[in-house]
Amino acid sequence: MTATGPLRTGDPRTEQLVDHYRDLAAPRWEQVADKDFAAQWQAMADLGVLRLAEPSDETPGPVTRALATIEGIGLAGVDPGLCYALASQLFGMQFPLRAALSPDAWRAVADVQDGGVLLCHALTERKGGSDPLSMATRARREGGGWVLDGAKTFITAAPVADRAIIFARTAEGRSPFALSAFLFPLDLPGVSRGETFDKTALPTVPMGELLFDGVRLPAGALIGEEGSGLAVMASTTAWERSVILGYALGPMHRTLARTVDWACGREHFGRPMGASHQVAARVSDMALALHRSRVQLYAMAARLDAGTPARQLAAEAALTKISVSEDYVRLTEHATALSGVRAFLTDSELTADLAGPMAALTYAGPNDLLRVGIARQLGLPVEN
Ligand SMILES: Cc1cc2nc3c(=O)[nH]c(=O)nc-3n(C[C@H](O)[C@H](O)[C@H](O)COP(=O)(O)OP(=O)(O)OC[C@H]3O[C@@H](n4cnc5c(N)ncnc54)[C@H](O)[C@@H]3O)c2cc1C
């Protein structure tokens, strides 16, 4: 990892945390690398990866600590799919739930930090990915609670999750108050698992469908108020867009390091490949992508640690998500070009994973749509 040394110049306490989790995770990962997703998840949870630090005035704060933890396990070589899934639960679910729920309600679900209970975030439907207000899943009031019908598709961890945050229509039309958010266990009568999906990107993380047929939810399953679903979604997605791509930092460091080693060792035209200025420029561009991503992600974590409500960070969160995901793709493209044929061999040290970074252009809000939203906030008369 020496190649990325010059890029590790952040706050020393944060850098120490990154190293601590790298060193903790590396031997544990060796023991579980060939185990199933649940065993790997539990192994990382046992290291404390999902445990949220209490909010305090201490630095680094809880979000920065969590980001450093995720970067550290990625640096240790933990599978990027697992890092993605852990980051998704931490940043897109645990932190926003802790902020949104009463202290008692949070305590009731805080066992998710121990790893034995998995969460999923179920928004997407087959007919409406980018457009939440087109959703067909409905919840209607009945007997003091709710009855839920519909389906959520392409949901990370759905085949193995124990609880879900679900968004459903509680009023007709495209009003901003037409949706509500619910949190409930997935062993309730009427819940079933539908299709599962094999992915080319992050293939180790299960993805699937959840079906709801007259599921009776208690009144307490509602997150916030009836009609506040879009507001809850604004919070979970702003959290996610701010820091989820922290999971990419470890793989980016590792890809850069192995590309530098390769460029130093490979001989071309009677000299090391790395003596070519064009090769050097690509390596520098990789470093630039990683540096830019790191600075932005830790800046977002610091804003969240400072107590800025995630919804107020929507524009910066979108900019960060676009920038880091596109830098992750760009860095991987440079590495692929410099690796030659070995990038395309399945059992090479230089095998390229292009699909994983490319998927980041789509999840947590497709970049094209995020760009539209940013332009709208700048004053352009543009709608999705
Ligand atoms: C790895 C991965 C994990 C995921 N995990 C989850 C999860 O846990 N929970 C969940 O709810 N969902 C999840 N998703 C689904 C994801 O949120 C959706 O894929 C995303 O919202 C886009 O929806 P869609 O795929 O239906 O694309 P579509 O809505 O069909 O859009 C396709 C593309 O069309 C373009 N486009 C469409 N409309 C516009 C417009 N108005 N302006 C500009 N461009 C436009 C964009 O380029 C967009 O990417 C995951 C996806 C991936 C890839």
Side-chain angles (χ1 to χ4, degrees):
M1 287 301 135
T2 49
T4 59
L7 298 171
R8 298 278 314 279
T9 53
D11 168 59
R13 286 159 302 184
T14 305
E15 299 295 357
Q16 277 169 15
L17 266 175
V18 175
D19 289 343
H20 173 69
Y21 275 95
R22 177 199 60 199
D23 296 344
L24 208 57
R28 193 73 189 100
W29 177 246
E30 264 187 40
Q31 293 164 346
V32 297
D34 59 355
K35 300 271 194 303
D36 66 13
F37 179 78
Q40 294 176 347
W41 180 273
Q42 188 62 60
M44 291 302 119
D46 290 344
L47 300 182
V49 169
L50 291 170
R51 194 144 287 284
L52 307 189
E54 289 301 321
S56 76
D57 292 338
E58 271 181 46
T59 53
V63 188
T64 304
R65 298 180 78 86
L67 181 56
T69 304
I70 291 291
E71 182 177 8
I73 67 166
L75 263 174
V78 171
D79 170 59
L82 182 63
C83 293
Y84 160 80
L86 289 160
S88 170
Q89 176 165 309
L90 259 176
F91 300 124
M93 295 175 243
Q94 290 184 199
F95 274 109
L97 279 178
R98 182 166 82 172
L101 299 177
S102 68
D104 280 347
W106 165 246
R107 262 191 297 280
V109 295
D111 53 354
V112 294
Q113 298 173 100
D114 301 331
V117 175
L118 257 91
L119 283 173
C120 68
H121 184 273
L123 169 63
T124 307
E125 301 185 0
R126 274 182 204 267
K127 284 195 179 165
S130 305
D131 176 15
L133 282 172
S134 71
M135 76 173 53
T137 298
R138 279 186 165 66
R140 61 188 157 79
R141 280 187 180 278
E142 200 178 290
W146 299 88
V147 178
L148 180 71
D149 287 285
K152 295 288 174 181
T153 314
F154 311 124
I155 309 303
T156 296
V160 292
D162 305 284
R163 286 187 202 127
I165 301 170
I166 303 270
F167 296 88
R169 174 173 291 291
T170 45
E172 297 309 313
R174 295 186 65 87
S175 143
F177 306 107
L179 308 183
S180 300
F182 299 89
L183 170 65
F184 58 89
L186 290 171
D187 58 1
L188 293 180
V191 179
S192 58
R193 320 268 166 168
E195 199 177 339
T196 57
F197 305 97
D198 288 335
K199 299 191 274 18
T200 54
L202 309 166
T204 50
V205 189
M207 176 183 263
E209 186 169 37
L210 296 170
L211 309 175
F212 310 109
D213 183 8
V215 180
R216 294 190 171 278
L217 302 178
L222 185 68
I223 303 174
E225 308 292 322
E226 177 179 354
S228 69
L230 268 190
V232 173
M233 193 186 304
S235 167
T236 58
T237 54
W239 268 98
E240 201 173 34
R241 289 167 192 163
S242 296
V243 270
I244 191 177
L245 276 153
Y247 98 86
L249 292 176
M252 288 167 91
H253 280 292
R254 291 173 66 85
T255 303
L256 174 57
R258 79 181 191 196
T259 306
V260 168
D261 287 349
W262 168 247
C264 289
R266 175 88 164 152
E267 293 274 328
H268 277 155
F269 308 105
R271 60 176 198 262
M273 183 179 147
S276 147
H277 287 95
Q278 203 170 346
V279 172
R282 279 193 189 272
V283 168
S284 291
D285 281 353
M286 291 173 73
L288 189 59
L290 174 53
H291 173 68
R292 204 163 32 209
S293 298
R294 221 172 171 246
V295 167
Q296 288 184 72
L297 288 165
Y298 279 100
M300 291 307 287
R303 298 284 302 277
L304 290 161
D305 277 330
T308 315
R311 286 179 59 198
Q312 281 178 22
L313 294 173
E316 287 108 314
L319 289 164
T320 303
K321 192 269 176 172
I322 294 171
S323 178
V324 180
S325 60
E326 295 183 1
D327 270 338
Y328 189 20
V329 171
R330 207 166 290 130
L331 178 143
T332 311
E333 282 172 356
H334 285 307
T336 305
L338 293 177
S339 302
V341 64
R342 288 164 181 79
F344 305 100
L345 305 183
T346 49
D347 63 350
S348 150
E349 284 288 288
L350 298 172
T351 309
D353 170 20
L354 287 159
M358 289 290 290
L361 308 181
T362 292
Y363 58 71
N367 286 7
D368 287 350
L369 276 122
L370 295 182
R371 281 188 160 85
V372 173
I374 289 162
R376 187 168 55 243
Q377 290 207 20
L378 288 170
L380 291 194
V382 60
E383 293 297 329
N384 287 333

